[in-house]
Amino acid sequence: MSDQDDRELTWTRLRTGRLRELVAVRGAEEDYIALVRAVLAAGAPLDEAYELLREAEQRHQRSVTVLEHLAMITAQTGRDAELDRVIRTLEGVDPTSRVLRIFDEVTPESGREWAENAEATQRRLLDAAGSEDEQEAEAAVRELAQWARSFPANSTYAVNHGFGLVMRGRYDEARQVARDTRGIEDGSFADAFNLGQILCMTDAREEGVELLREAARRAGSDDEREIVAEALAQAGDR
């Protein structure tokens, strides 16, 4: 980390601490919004921003600004039922809200396009994480980490972050990411298989084999069963 980066990080921490004090003492809606922006700029997970905005909503129930920020963060964290509630509340407070127009413009087609672009970005970042250019590779891993933090309920992004760390030889971090991801994995074959691979590659063979066996139970085709059998054989499990 450069001296400039270190100074910026120190300033961000000091500013965030001051804003937390303001929220605790005064709790104005602008204090909450400033704090949310500060924690996100510091790389905090979206869940932290969501909890702050829920607290702000309880104190400022008719604040259009708070509700608009809450709607955007809620959408990004995948809380669909909560998003419906926030949208209905916002409609009652300000039917002309710009955020309502944004959600009105979201179509199934635009949603699919966003998902396709996100998938392509993940593939690009994983390719870059394996680059011989150290700066490019480390930048890709940082971006994968940001995706995982921004979408904490999305196990695919967490898995990709884990694989990126493995490519960089950061095995302790990758192992911890895989263990943490077990708490949000979606019950799919892919999650069990990928997490099992990461754990096997990071000296957590017993945990990895356990997940690979689970992947075998989830397999829905002969091809899936075959690749699990190969992975188990490579892990020394017969």
Side-chain angles (χ1 to χ4, degrees), residues 84-97:
D84 288 342
R85 181 197 69 78
V86 176
I87 291 296
R88 288 195 303 272
T89 303
L90 184 55
E91 287 173 337
V93 175
D94 181 9
T96 66
S97 165

Side-chain angles (χ1 to χ4, degrees), residues 5 17 25 57 75 122-123 131 150 164 182 200-201 208 213 238:
D5 290 339
V25 173
E57 183 195 15
Q122 292 288 301
R123 289 196 300 269
S131 171
S150 296
R182 293 190 70 173
C200 284
M201 289 186 288
R213 290 173 179 167
R238 302 293 180 180

